[in-house]
Amino acid sequence: MTVQADVDLDLVLADIETLVSCESPSDDLDAVARSADVVAALGERLLGAAPERIVIDGRSHLRWRFGDPVVLLVGHHDTVWPLGSLRRLPFRIDDGVLRGPGCFDMKTGVVMALHAVAALPDRTGVSILITGDEELGSPSSRELIEQEAVGCAAAFVLEAAAGGGAVKVARKGVSLYRMHVGGRAAHAGLEPERGVNAAVEAAHLLLAVAELGDPAAGTSVTPTLLHAGSTTNTVPADAEFAVDVRVRTLAEQDRVDTALRAIPATLPGATVRVEGGPNRRPMEPESSADLFREAVAIAEQADLTPFEGVAVGGASDGNFTAGLGVPTLDGLGAVGGGAHADDEHVVVAMIPERIRLLQGLISAALAGREAPVGERA
């Protein structure tokens, strides 16, 4: 394996500042396009090659390929922060802590990936995919990620580390639903008995849906956004609510999906329609076990700060790669905290360590085997 002894931290920090200073809220296509320009320029300077720019549904993604992919690095350059956030939370470094909107999730990780690959003596077999819609659930980039991952020996996800610098060895799967309830309108004062109250039916349904959770199995089933009715003096003719499901295993994801679709209406005349389903399969511990052992060995050999492997409830694009059976290790990006919050921050001293760890992991995966050459988009 190749682990670079020195990292030009000043250059890395300057590149992070450049990227953080280009705001990129996911729902602003122009802003994400500008951010893609910045990432492309940084990568071209470091790697000596321009990326392939892939625009899907107006969303800008970037891909660098060095031969047939054996190792896939995955990151995203979009953020949850609206335009103007930098005026309130400007990029800065104080007492060894870097701050700024999107620095932790996950612009530092993007810069780390580019620097790690740039320092490799041989990049053959490496693919870097930086997407522009992860914070929205990767609606346009999911197929791209999965196509790029097929046949790879390893996928490394540059999402930020967990608490204390832990890497992420498992992630919960996600299912997203919208429950539609149909009723019948009537005047709430003159003849309410002629109506079928969709709000009341939704209340019954909410309770039944919430009961599908299983805390012992790590399964949460959470009704969230709710809407019913049209006016205050009308029996609601329709209602709907969203449901967020998080699971540790595919079996639990399937159980909840089947059970949720089988819940019947309670009120005579009411109807229930289910929209949605599994969005991301769980990233189960088996998908990361060998890579985590390799990471620990690299850290010991290179005298890096020890770290743990943890399971987390949030999902990432690593769920997609792991769901294909590709060995996947996540949380290899910045060490810090405060994702999506005003105290978002990165510990500067850990940036060189994580770049060196990533280099070692890439080198080990490239040395392990060549990926089979298949059809790729």
Side-chain angles (χ1 to χ4, degrees):
M1 69 190 72
T2 300
V3 178
Q4 182 182 356
D6 298 309
V7 173
D8 189 337
L9 182 57
D10 288 340
L11 180 58
V12 173
L13 293 177
D15 288 343
I16 295 170
E17 180 176 8
T18 298
L19 190 51
V20 171
S21 298
C22 182
E23 295 179 303
S24 53
S26 305
D27 57 359
D28 187 321
L29 299 181
D30 290 337
V32 173
R34 290 192 295 271
S35 174
D37 290 340
V38 173
V39 176
L42 289 178
E44 186 169 1
R45 190 197 80 226
L46 290 167
L47 301 171
E52 178 183 2
R53 190 179 187 116
I54 304 166
V55 179
I56 305 172
D57 297 334
R59 305 191 182 283
S60 301
H61 316 297
L62 302 172
R63 177 170 63 192
W64 283 266
R65 272 189 190 161
F66 300 97
D68 293 313
V70 175
V71 175
L72 174 61
L73 275 62
V74 183
H76 66 88
H77 64 101
D78 62 313
T79 75
V80 301
W81 294 91
L83 293 179
S85 297
L86 277 169
R87 290 194 294 271
R88 186 169 62 86
L89 300 166
F91 176 91
R92 66 191 190 280
I93 300 175
D94 298 314
D95 298 323
V97 177
L98 182 156
R99 301 182 187 276
C103 66
F104 182 63
D105 184 14
M106 60 160 288
K107 293 191 172 185
T108 295
V110 170
V111 172
M112 289 167 56
L114 297 174
H115 276 265
V117 174
L120 292 173
D122 185 359
R123 301 168 197 160
T124 304
V126 176
S127 178
I128 306 171
L129 184 58
I130 308 297
T131 66
D133 65 352
E134 193 275 343
E135 295 292 1
L136 299 176
S138 308
S140 73
S141 61
R142 174 176 182 165
E143 185 175 355
L144 183 64
I145 294 164
E146 292 178 335
Q147 289 174 343
E148 198 69 8
V150 170
C152 282
F156 299 120
V157 183
L158 273 297
E159 290 285 357
V167 299
K168 297 168 183 177
V169 298
R171 285 185 178 272
K172 286 188 177 182
V174 179
S175 297
L176 301 173
Y177 299 91
R178 189 165 293 277
M179 310 295 290
H180 298 272
V181 180
R184 184 169 61 247
H187 195 291
L190 295 178
E191 44 188 8
E193 69 282 355
R194 293 191 59 190
V196 177
N197 196 315
V200 173
E201 181 59 48
H204 288 294
L205 191 58
L206 277 165
L207 295 174
V209 166
E211 286 296 315
L212 297 177
D214 184 349
T219 300
S220 62
V221 180
T222 309
T224 56
L225 189 64
L226 170 67
H227 173 77
S230 55
T231 68
T232 58
N233 62 349
T234 303
V235 174
D238 53 60
E240 66 175 46
F241 62 92
V243 182
D244 180 293
V245 179
R246 307 285 170 141
V247 296
R248 289 176 181 162
T249 67
L250 184 59
E252 273 294 279
Q253 194 168 43
D254 290 342
R255 177 191 69 80
V256 172
D257 185 72
T258 299
L260 187 144
R261 296 180 188 280
I263 299 173
T266 300
L267 300 180
T271 61
V272 176
R273 179 171 60 87
V274 180
E275 179 182 297
N279 172 264
R280 284 174 165 90
R281 297 177 64 174
M283 176 182 157
E284 299 190 44
E286 294 78 10
S287 66
S288 64
D290 290 342
L291 293 178
F292 178 66
R293 283 191 290 270
E294 185 72 51
V296 170
I298 291 168
E300 291 176 349
Q301 179 181 328
D303 196 27
L304 305 179
T305 303
F307 50 81
E308 296 181 342
V310 298
V312 296
S316 81
D317 290 335
N319 291 69
F320 297 143
T321 59
L324 295 172
V326 177
T328 299
L329 193 59
D330 203 338
L332 291 168
V335 176
H340 300 190
D342 283 4
D343 65 338
E344 185 167 1
H345 64 279
V346 173
V347 179
V348 171
M350 291 300 297
I351 293 174
E353 289 205 17
R354 288 305 166 99
I355 292 176
R356 295 172 67 197
L357 175 64
L358 184 59
Q359 280 187 295
L361 284 166
I362 297 169
S363 297
L366 290 174
R369 74 172 177 90
E370 294 185 357
V373 178
E375 293 185 2
R376 295 180 180 274

